[in-house]
Amino acid sequence: MTSQVSSPAEQADGAVVGEQRKAAGVKDVRRLDRVIIRFAGDSGDGMQLTGDRFTSETASFGNDLSTLPNFPAEIRAPAGTLPGVSSFQLHFADHDILTPGDAPNVLVAMNPAALKANVGDLPRGAEIIVNTDEFTKRAMQKVGYGTNPLEDGSLDGYQLHPVPLTTLTVEALKDFDLSRKEAERSKNMFALGLLSWMYHRPTEGTERFLQSKFAKKPDIAAANIAAFRAGWNFGETTEDFAVSYEVEPAAKAFPVGTYRNISGNLALAYGLIAASRQADLPLFLGSYPITPASDILHELSRHKNFGVRTFQAEDEIAGIGAALGAAFGGSLAVTTTSGPGVALKSETIGLAVSLELPLLVVDIQRGGPSTGLPTKTEQADLLQAMFGRNGEAPVPIVAPRTSADCFGAALEAARIALTYRTPVFLLSDGYLANGSEPWRIPELEELPDLTMQFAQGPNHTLEDGTETFWPYKRDPHTLARPWAIPGTPGLEHRIGGIEKQDGTGNISYDPANHDFMVRTRQAKIDGIDVPDIEVDDPADARVLVLGWGSTYGPITAAVRRLRTAGLPVAQAHLRHVNPFPRNLGEVLARFDRVVIPEMNLGQLATLIRAKYLVDAQSYTQVNGMPFKAEQLAAALKEAIDG
């Protein structure tokens, strides 16, 4: 939150006006430039839905925003326990922002566990809205509270708003034919209504959403809408909330266009559909459900009208096997997974390298190793994507930087796969996948042309003059082999994982041929045309911060803080991790020090050191959460001062 300092005379005048407004029953409205709100409760309290609805209304209002959903991996952790706490953080502002925020200004805690799990993140003076109905002796003891934190003075440093949310919700729904348990389920809508009043959020969209969501259960829809309105009215009438807040739309933050709120997985799904349309190819997804990638499968399955076919396989290996078969048959083929699934798919990815067929391998990274932290975020699959196959099996890697950028990254991955006939890794992560932000819907003419030509007939003439088809006769510019649709007369050729003879594609154990094919496949990847990396360096800095993937938001926010404080620092961010941009070596050589923040133990730093012999300094984090801007700013300041 922001505050302004006024003179004593202005304060006195303001006090008089405030008393007049209070006497007239009119509540104060304060203007803020940004707010960070966190909804927290039990896994069954609907915090993700509540946060999502507040986010949607905030997006429709025109604020810039960034979100951080955070929930347990268990399907249903024990109620009222710390492991069962689910939260949703939203940062919205009247200007351009980049992260979900470091610390919430407002915490909505639905039970003692939610309070205890999140109060440590709050700055002093933050507002806490608690559901007092849940603060029973048993519930507090379950999470280690010896005394009631609402009464023992431990929260004196915060603005505490004790609200009996459950009781008020049940009272608001007393005229509905619902049991008490059924009525209590709407308390999240009561809380949403209250917060919507506090921050002047639109309400029409949420009411339409509830009517649509419960269209087959009109009584439940009406009850939720009634609870939502009751929460709004409670804020308007209760004396405990004497102030509401306004955050103006971020009119200057966005270029002209049509915008919508979008999550990373949804943007990625739309990007895949757009790529298939721009390539004029059917889209095939072979996938096995896995957190946090499953939403892509769910979304694509809704779009059969765009020529999308989705296949939910019995396991990861079958999923990618079906996708590779679809690529052989002429589809834009995709398989989606997370780190454990990539391990299972590795042999088939190697087969795709050998067959030189376009295949998109979408890895939504999560904490590992093994099952690890399914609902938490990490960037630790980079080296697996680079080297996690037997033999020399190079694969290009594209990494989106924001949730909205997942759309463009999908198009870019498809461009590379189709142009160079190769599998391509698209490395997103849980932070981007589940987070959301405004996205400008592109115009059709802004999308790249991805159309390509299948092989149509013979492409090689033998010494005796006979015309034939060679499946591994390459394009001299891209080194891509022809893509021949099976069943095309005259284009019959061998397929399989054993080494191919250059040109003919026949099985070959010849040492010289194998050496040539290995080096040619590597040269094809090394020769992929990717844009030069851009450097943001307004003040001839000596320190460069280099990032990749989802660290873009926290890094940029930290760099802004340092520059505001007068410290020179440059920034560059990689979208293409394999191959690296051709000018990367020259860029790195311009700086005295290179710092690489990563949500792993230094995997990009390892690659940079090996390729460019640069003594890059790692700054790493593997706690399942994204970097905080203030934390990064402090680390970068040490690098600058050092």
Side-chain angles (χ1 to χ4, degrees):
M1 292 186 180
T2 61
S3 60
Q4 295 180 341
V5 178
S6 55
S7 69
E10 290 172 329
Q11 292 175 9
D13 291 342
V16 171
V17 173
E19 289 299 322
Q20 291 173 345
R21 291 172 59 87
K22 185 175 181 180
V26 179
K27 296 190 176 186
D28 285 342
V29 178
R30 296 179 187 169
R31 181 164 294 178
L32 306 173
D33 65 353
R34 66 185 184 95
V35 175
I36 304 168
I37 299 174
R38 183 181 297 176
F39 298 92
D42 196 68
S43 292
D45 286 337
M47 293 296 94
Q48 302 304 318
L49 175 62
T50 304
D52 183 68
R53 290 314 313 159
F54 195 94
T55 299
S56 295
E57 297 295 2
T58 297
S60 68
F61 187 73
N63 295 119
D64 196 9
L65 61 89
S66 181
T67 69
L68 179 62
N70 186 17
F71 40 86
E74 292 81 359
I75 294 175
R76 188 67 174 92
T81 63
L82 293 174
V85 173
S86 174
S87 68
F88 188 105
Q89 183 163 307
L90 165 68
H91 182 192
F92 62 101
D94 65 2
H95 57 278
D96 174 35
I97 58 173
L98 298 155
T99 74
D102 288 356
N105 307 119
V106 182
L107 171 66
V108 179
M110 303 297 282
N111 60 19
L115 177 64
K116 186 160 192 177
N118 292 281
V119 70
D121 293 336
L122 302 180
R124 306 301 283 181
E127 293 192 73
I128 303 176
I129 301 171
V130 294
N131 180 13
T132 57
D133 290 325
E134 295 296 322
F135 279 72
T136 63
K137 184 176 181 180
R138 183 173 181 273
M140 290 186 288
Q141 289 177 341
K142 188 181 291 187
V143 295
Y145 278 128
T147 58
N148 189 337
L150 309 183
E151 301 171 352
D152 63 10
S154 60
L155 301 178
D156 286 349
Y158 307 99
Q159 301 179 54
L160 181 63
H161 301 282
V163 181
L165 288 172
T166 306
T167 299
L168 291 171
T169 303
V170 172
E171 176 64 22
L173 303 183
K174 63 182 180 180
D175 294 332
F176 289 81
D177 186 21
L178 299 173
S179 67
R180 179 179 177 86
K181 186 175 182 180
E182 290 172 328
E184 288 178 358
R185 290 175 182 163
S186 297
K187 62 181 181 290
N188 64 323
M189 289 296 105
F190 188 101
L192 177 60
L194 172 58
L195 269 293
S196 297
W197 172 83
M198 284 183 65
Y199 292 96
H200 296 229
R201 298 296 91 185
T203 60
E204 297 81 3
T206 292
E207 294 194 8
R208 287 195 301 268
F209 168 81
L210 292 171
Q211 289 171 346
S212 174
K213 180 177 178 64
F214 299 107
K216 296 182 180 179
K217 298 179 180 179
D219 291 344
I220 300 297
N224 278 282
I225 292 171
F228 177 65
R229 291 175 177 173
W232 176 283
N233 293 333
F234 177 77
E236 182 71 24
T237 58
T238 183
E239 295 182 1
D240 191 41
F241 293 90
V243 179
S244 64
Y245 305 93
E246 283 186 348
V247 181
E248 292 294 319
K252 298 179 180 179
F254 305 120
V256 175
T258 302
Y259 287 79
R260 61 157 293 169
N261 182 50
I262 201 165
S263 68
N265 273 351
L266 184 57
L268 204 155
Y270 286 176
L272 294 173
I273 296 172
S276 75
R277 294 297 82 204
Q278 293 302 105
D280 195 24
L281 296 173
L283 178 64
F284 180 91
L285 173 67
S287 182
Y288 180 76
I290 184 171
T291 302
S294 299
D295 286 342
I296 302 171
L297 169 61
H298 301 160
E299 182 61 32
L300 289 179
S301 67
R302 299 187 178 105
H303 297 287
K304 297 179 178 65
N305 56 313
F306 287 113
V308 179
R309 294 183 181 180
T310 53
F311 170 57
Q312 180 174 320
E314 66 270 25
D315 55 42
E316 296 280 5
I317 299 172
I320 190 173
L324 185 56
F328 179 58
S331 292
L332 177 59
V334 185
T335 188
T336 53
T337 189
S338 191
V342 173
L344 292 168
K345 296 176 188 291
S346 62
E347 183 179 4
T348 307
I349 296 171
L351 177 59
V353 171
S354 174
L355 299 181
E356 301 190 44
L357 288 172
L359 173 68
L360 302 186
V361 181
V362 179
D363 177 6
I364 313 298
Q365 300 167 94
R366 70 190 206 187
S370 187
T371 308
L373 306 174
T375 59
K376 309 302 178 182
T377 195
E378 208 164 85
Q379 288 183 300
D381 292 349
L382 177 57
L383 294 184
Q384 180 178 217
M386 282 287 292
F387 306 119
R389 293 163 296 283
N390 64 294
E392 296 288 347
V395 175
I397 301 172
V398 177
R401 61 175 58 182
T402 67
S403 296
D405 188 45
C406 289
F407 178 85
L411 284 162
E412 176 65 359
R415 177 191 73 85
I416 293 173
L418 294 171
T419 303
Y420 296 90
R421 313 285 196 268
T422 177
V424 177
F425 262 102
L426 181 55
L427 288 186
S428 179
D429 59 42
Y431 170 40
L432 297 185
N434 296 317
S436 60
E437 64 178 350
W439 171 58
R440 187 180 71 84
I441 301 172
E443 300 295 333
L444 187 60
E445 57 269 18
E446 296 175 342
L447 300 179
D449 181 4
L450 301 180
T451 54
M452 38 69 61
Q453 291 293 323
F454 292 113
Q456 300 297 321
N459 62 356
H460 185 74
T461 302
L462 300 177
E463 291 182 359
D464 62 2
T466 304
E467 292 188 339
T468 186
F469 175 68
W470 275 16
Y472 281 83
K473 186 170 185 176
R474 302 177 183 278
D475 182 290
H477 302 292
T478 65
L479 299 183
R481 80 174 185 92
W483 193 0
I485 300 301
T488 305
L491 303 188
E492 297 85 358
H493 60 281
R494 290 181 179 273
I495 204 76
I498 299 178
E499 183 64 282
K500 317 294 186 300
Q501 185 182 54
D502 177 42
T504 68
N506 295 332
I507 292 174
S508 173
Y509 288 91
D510 178 66
N513 177 79
H514 176 60
D515 183 275
F516 177 82
M517 292 294 278
V518 167
R519 295 181 186 278
T520 301
R521 287 189 289 260
Q522 183 65 58
K524 180 174 70 170
I525 303 307
D526 292 341
I528 291 173
D529 182 23
V530 302
D532 283 350
I533 192 168
E534 297 180 356
V535 182
D536 178 14
D537 182 13
D540 294 326
R542 304 314 306 157
V543 173
L544 172 70
V545 189
L546 179 66
W548 71 280
S550 67
T551 57
Y552 173 78
I555 289 174
T556 307
V559 166
R560 286 182 180 179
R561 295 187 186 198
L562 293 174
R563 290 177 180 171
T564 300
L567 297 174
V569 60
Q571 178 187 0
H573 207 80
L574 289 167
R575 173 186 260 194
H576 297 87
V577 188
N578 192 35
F580 287 130
R582 285 175 173 75
N583 69 329
L584 181 57
E586 179 271 327
V587 166
L588 296 173
R590 286 173 14 207
F591 296 90
D592 295 338
R593 187 168 301 175
V594 177
V595 182
I596 304 179
E598 298 182 76
M599 293 187 293
N600 55 48
L601 295 183
Q603 297 186 14
L604 176 63
T606 297
L607 297 175
I608 293 295
R609 290 186 186 113
K611 185 172 180 64
Y612 299 104
L613 302 181
V614 170
D615 187 19
Q617 176 182 336
S618 276
Y619 184 76
T620 63
Q621 173 178 294
V622 282
N623 62 6
M625 299 293 287
F627 283 111
K628 293 182 178 180
E630 186 61 35
Q631 161 197 3
L632 269 182
L636 296 178
K637 184 178 184 303
E638 288 185 11
I640 295 171
D641 293 342

